[in-house]
Amino acid sequence: MSEDAQDVVLVVEDEPAIRMILRDYLAGEGYHVLVAEDGEQAFAILASKPHLDLMVTDYRLPGGISGVEIAEPAVKLRPDLKVIFISGYPAEILESGSPITRKAPILAKPFDLDTLHEQIQSLLR
């Protein structure tokens, strides 16, 4: 993390229990965590928050917008934004054909929270 401020992480996850676990775990690790349960909330946060370091997003989300469809415009607007995809169906992420999926880590659910933290630390170094 940067020494002068907390790193800001946006978690986009539709399952309330998983969203809560990720929020609580990452906050406990010292990150400032914002949460969204769908694409609409994620885009509202992306539009209103000038500083985000990382987005952790599920692939399958309600409302017909995938995590990839959130991440692509987010990274175009914020080239320094790092992305981690999480999914019970990781092959679908790769099958989307998006260039972002070749760079962003993909964690298959269920995953170990320490593995997520290691990925975050690696990306934010």
Side-chain angles (χ1 to χ4, degrees), residues 15-61:
E15 182 62 43
I18 296 172
R19 193 170 56 244
M20 182 187 70
I21 289 167
L22 292 174
R23 181 197 65 216
D24 292 351
Y25 175 78
L26 294 172
E29 291 297 326
Y31 299 99
H32 179 74
V33 184
L34 305 171
V35 294
E37 65 184 51
D38 58 25
E40 186 176 331
Q41 288 183 2
F43 285 127
I45 290 170
L46 287 162
S48 65
K49 300 294 179 192
H51 179 80
L52 288 174
D53 296 292
L54 175 86
M55 179 169 56
V56 177
T57 183
D58 193 2
Y59 179 73
R60 286 187 175 184
L61 296 165

